[in-house]
Amino acid sequence: MNETTQLVVASMVFDGAGRCHAPGAILLQNERIVASSSPQDIGAVAEAQKIAFEDHVVTPALVNAHSHLDLTHIGPLPYEGHFADWLGRILAERATTTRQGIRESVLQGVALSRAGGTAFAGDIAGEWSLEPLHAMRLGGLPGVSYLEVFGVGRRQAGSIETMQSMIDSVQHDADGVRLGISPHAPFTCGPELYAAASRLGLPLSTHVAESLDELQFCRDGDGAFAELLKTLNVWDDSITAQNAHPVQLLAETLAANQCVAAHLNYVGDAEIQVLAELGTTVAYCPRSSAYFGPPHNGHPPHRYRDMLEAGVNVALGTDSMVCLDTPERISVLDEMRYLYRRDGGESASLLRMATVNGAVGLGVDPSLVDLSPGPIAGLLALPGRTLADVLVRNDPPLWIMGPMR
Ligand SMILES: [Zn+2]
């Protein structure tokens, strides 16, 4: 076998595990990392093909911990200010999409994710469809495809049966994409469905504390979501006020190995503590949270920094194209940029959220998205002399190695 040795030299090499060299160099052999350091430390490697990226930062490829690639075809949509109405529109849109349409939308999402430098994605396979799983395998985007299930009130028992027969019908791990399960949210899935999903031993994901309507539903059993369930004719007497925060209600699910909880827009100190103790990964989707409006009723902005400080594994997600402002790509790089511009903070911490933390959440070996010696899922060159410089620009990432297949 021919040995290929490459020496990548850049203004900076940076990963989410604490490695930073400026200028930096990465020595690769057959697309595996041998060393990353300063060019002086690595020295001259006579047989290496040298690849120079002046005015670029080289990082590992990224992990998107929460996407909805099956909504890519809808494109960016304006938000009118009512979450329950918005969700109703998305559900109506989905109901009219054919299997072929879903596959094409996800394949488009896969291509835009690759354009965004994504190595792995945790994708929500919308409402009872295995088509997104097949499309991720076909399109070659590794990660987890979480089959999204719904079932509350009268529909709960039937949903548990359907869920089981669907997961029995498909390979759980093939072409780098694992099957996961995603009970949608505490207002669309009853406790028995959550419990059944948690027992499957598959990677789990769910939406938690995304809106104030959800908090009201869990606490008082009324409000916009109660009305929505009545409109959908699924309401029954099993749905009552539970007088608890969604994080408390879902503790059993959130404690399951590899649970990614999306959003957590509205949490207090007690909930942050619970998330840290349970080892839940939080997929924070900054542009999505901003899209649905600033915090209401005196609630503070998203508490991702408090979560990180408390030891919660916070990763980044894009949510769907519907709430993005980058029609040309789907990338957590743009989530990093959004946070950096809004909050400042350490670029190293943002890169960790966009790589290593996401990998942990998806059950992917984190060393595939850092610069440690060994295999790596991909390398990106990002225009800019420092990571902070990259984050104030809007350039797309360039793949210089990978995607790994
Ligand atoms: Zn979502």
Side-chain angles (χ1 to χ4, degrees), residues 14 16 304-305 308 314 345-354 357:
F14 209 145
Y304 69 101
R305 288 185 286 195
L308 288 167
V314 183
E346 283 184 32
S347 50
S349 169
L350 294 171
L351 185 59
R352 183 174 186 87
M353 291 161 74
N357 289 7

Side-chain angles (χ1 to χ4, degrees), residues 66-68 124 148 184 206-207 210 262-263 285 288 319-320:
H66 186 76
S67 63
H68 292 263
I124 306 298
E148 185 169 45
H184 170 254
T206 188
H207 297 87
E210 183 172 8
H263 303 308
C285 306
S288 167
D319 224 357
S320 77

Side-chain angles (χ1 to χ4, degrees), residues 68-76 100-116 135-136 138-139 141 321 326-330:
H68 292 263
L69 299 181
D70 64 339
L71 300 179
T72 307
H73 68 287
I74 301 175
Q100 181 64 25
I102 295 172
R103 178 172 296 212
E104 284 167 11
S105 188
V106 175
L107 285 172
Q108 186 191 356
V110 167
L112 295 178
S113 298
R114 287 307 202 189
M136 274 176 84
L138 188 69
L141 179 62
M321 180 53 94
T326 49
E328 65 281 14
R329 62 179 177 267
I330 296 173

Side-chain angles (χ1 to χ4, degrees), residues 335-352:
E335 306 298 336
M336 294 169 65
R337 286 171 166 157
Y338 179 86
L339 289 180
Y340 188 75
R341 288 167 192 175
R342 191 189 68 186
D343 301 339
E346 283 184 32
S347 50
S349 169
L350 294 171
L351 185 59
R352 183 174 186 87

Side-chain angles (χ1 to χ4, degrees), residues 176-195:
V177 185
R178 287 186 305 149
L179 174 69
I181 197 90
S182 176
H184 170 254
F187 56 93
T188 53
C189 294
E192 289 158 37
L193 178 54
Y194 266 106

Side-chain angles (χ1 to χ4, degrees), residues 4 6 8 26-34 51 53 58-62 114 117-119 368 370-371 374-381 398-405:
T4 312
Q6 295 167 306
V8 176
I26 303 171
L27 184 62
L28 296 154
Q29 197 151 40
N30 297 331
E31 304 207 329
R32 291 166 66 97
I33 292 181
V34 176
I51 309 168
F53 280 94
V58 172
T59 70
L62 307 170
R114 287 307 202 189
T118 308
L368 292 174
D370 71 20
L371 297 176
I376 178 151
L379 283 176
L380 305 176
L398 309 168
W399 285 91
I400 57 177
M401 202 203 89
M404 188 179 73
R405 284 284 293 150

Side-chain angles (χ1 to χ4, degrees), residues 152-155 226-236:
V152 68
R154 293 164 37 181
R155 295 210 180 143
E227 295 311 315
L228 181 68
L229 297 184
K230 286 170 186 165
T231 308
L232 296 172
N233 198 28
V234 296
W235 184 271
D236 74 4

